[in-house]
Amino acid sequence: MDKKSQKMVYDKQAEILKALAHPIRIAILDFLKDGEQCVCDIAEFAGSERSNVSKHLSVLVSCGVLEFRKEGLKVIYSLKARCIMDFFKCITTCVKQQAKDSENLLKVL
Amino acid sequence: MDKKSQKMVYDKQAEILKALAHPIRIAILDFLKDGEQCVCDIAEFAGSERSNVSKHLSVLVSCGVLEFRKEGLKVIYSLKARCIMDFFKCITTCVKQQAKDSENLLKVL
DNA sequence: TTACTATATGAGTAGATAATCATATAGTTA
DNA sequence: TAACTATATGATTATCTACTCATATAGTAA
């Protein structure tokens, strides 16, 4: 791959990671992994204002991770990119590894 | 898991994702996947100033993804959290999926 | 129609982030 | 020792981000 295409790939990867890199957005994905939900339930789960959650949702939609459908007054969001969940398995492994490292550090102190 | 611990997990996951969510930092990880490298070579690969790259490196070190050793004047960085690379396989899948979606969209337009 | 509900959006603000440039540190070599 | 090299750090600035609150939209129900 040439330098320029490589840079485009890095940019695209960074874009997706950036869209995921927020505790509320991670909570949303975790909540949606078992099925679709409306904004009000998502907001309650995430523990944040609806208007704020609505903005986080639109970030996830525009990076292609979520999709939505309308049902009367409600807007129902669901996971579009299932691969994202594998992704979270990976990051959980990393978090666990870090926790283990800290634990080992504590032992020798 | 209780609400409070759950929030801590989301925060920790977001912290790691945030540390990864930058094109230069992704380039660094990609460059280091095949072995350790000094700052000057990393900077050249990433196409950015050494001082800037140095800061990006310290972000990756403090989130536990990289480690380093000193060798004379040089500082040699290497991957610490190997699991990160699985992680990138996952995100590459997502990027490909998105590209495929765009392609399909183009066809019907 | 009006009142109500769910969601989205815009303005404003505070705080975080990244890049650049200058400077500091610390190891090397003459 | 002084000069040089690799890296790190601090100050500054510009840009981005997230949150809050107010307002807009659009579907529902009386």
Side-chain angles (χ1 to χ4, degrees):
Chain A
M1 201 182 316
D2 62 279
K3 270 272 171 200
K4 207 176 156 190
S5 310
Q6 189 58 266
K7 195 185 171 325
M8 278 177 59
V9 172
Y10 294 148
D11 285 347
K12 192 69 195 167
Q13 290 179 326
E15 202 183 290
I16 295 185
L17 283 170
K18 220 161 124 185
L20 303 180
H22 190 286
I24 290 180
R25 294 199 286 265
I26 292 173
I28 290 171
L29 294 171
D30 191 38
F31 190 48
L32 293 181
K33 72 175 187 297
D34 303 317
E36 56 180 20
Q37 298 284 351
C38 68
V39 178
C40 52
D41 290 346
I42 296 171
E44 195 184 339
F45 179 83
S48 179
E49 291 294 320
R50 286 183 198 182
S51 64
N52 193 26
V53 168
S54 182
K55 279 171 194 169
H56 285 301
L57 286 165
S58 77
V59 170
L60 291 168
V61 168
S62 43
C63 90
V65 174
L66 294 188
E67 57 191 349
F68 63 90
R69 62 185 181 82
K70 301 197 174 185
E71 190 176 292
L73 267 177
K74 296 195 174 178
V75 180
I76 317 282
Y77 285 82
S78 58
L79 270 184
K80 185 183 176 193
R82 275 267 141 210
C83 50
I84 286 293
M85 297 327 291
D86 296 327
F87 199 84
F88 276 94
K89 275 181 220 149
C90 294
I91 202 143
T92 303
T93 309
C94 292
V95 172
K96 277 188 189 160
Q97 185 56 51
Q98 279 194 31
K100 225 174 274 178
D101 287 352
S102 309
E103 196 185 5
N104 290 335
L105 183 62
L106 265 180
K107 275 183 199 157
V108 296
L109 289 178
Chain B
M1 200 181 319
D2 63 278
K3 269 272 172 199
K4 207 175 156 189
S5 312
Q6 188 58 265
K7 196 187 169 326
M8 278 177 59
V9 173
Y10 294 148
D11 284 347
K12 191 70 194 167
Q13 290 180 326
E15 202 183 292
I16 296 184
L17 284 170
K18 219 162 124 186
L20 303 180
H22 189 286
I24 290 180
R25 295 199 286 266
I26 292 173
I28 291 171
L29 294 170
D30 191 39
F31 189 48
L32 294 180
K33 73 175 187 297
D34 302 318
E36 57 179 22
Q37 298 283 352
C38 67
V39 179
C40 53
D41 290 346
I42 295 170
E44 194 184 340
F45 178 83
S48 179
E49 291 294 319
R50 286 184 197 181
S51 64
N52 192 26
V53 167
S54 182
K55 279 172 195 167
H56 285 301
L57 286 165
S58 79
V59 170
L60 291 168
V61 168
S62 45
C63 91
V65 174
L66 294 187
E67 58 192 349
F68 63 91
R69 62 184 181 83
K70 301 197 175 185
E71 190 177 291
L73 269 177
K74 296 193 173 177
V75 180
I76 317 282
Y77 285 83
S78 57
L79 269 185
K80 185 183 177 194
R82 276 266 141 211
C83 50
I84 287 291
M85 296 327 293
D86 296 327
F87 200 82
F88 276 92
K89 275 181 220 150
C90 294
I91 203 144
T92 302
T93 309
C94 293
V95 172
K96 277 189 189 160
Q97 185 55 52
Q98 278 194 31
K100 226 173 275 180
D101 287 353
S102 308
E103 196 186 4
N104 290 336
L105 183 62
L106 266 181
K107 275 181 199 158
V108 297
L109 287 177

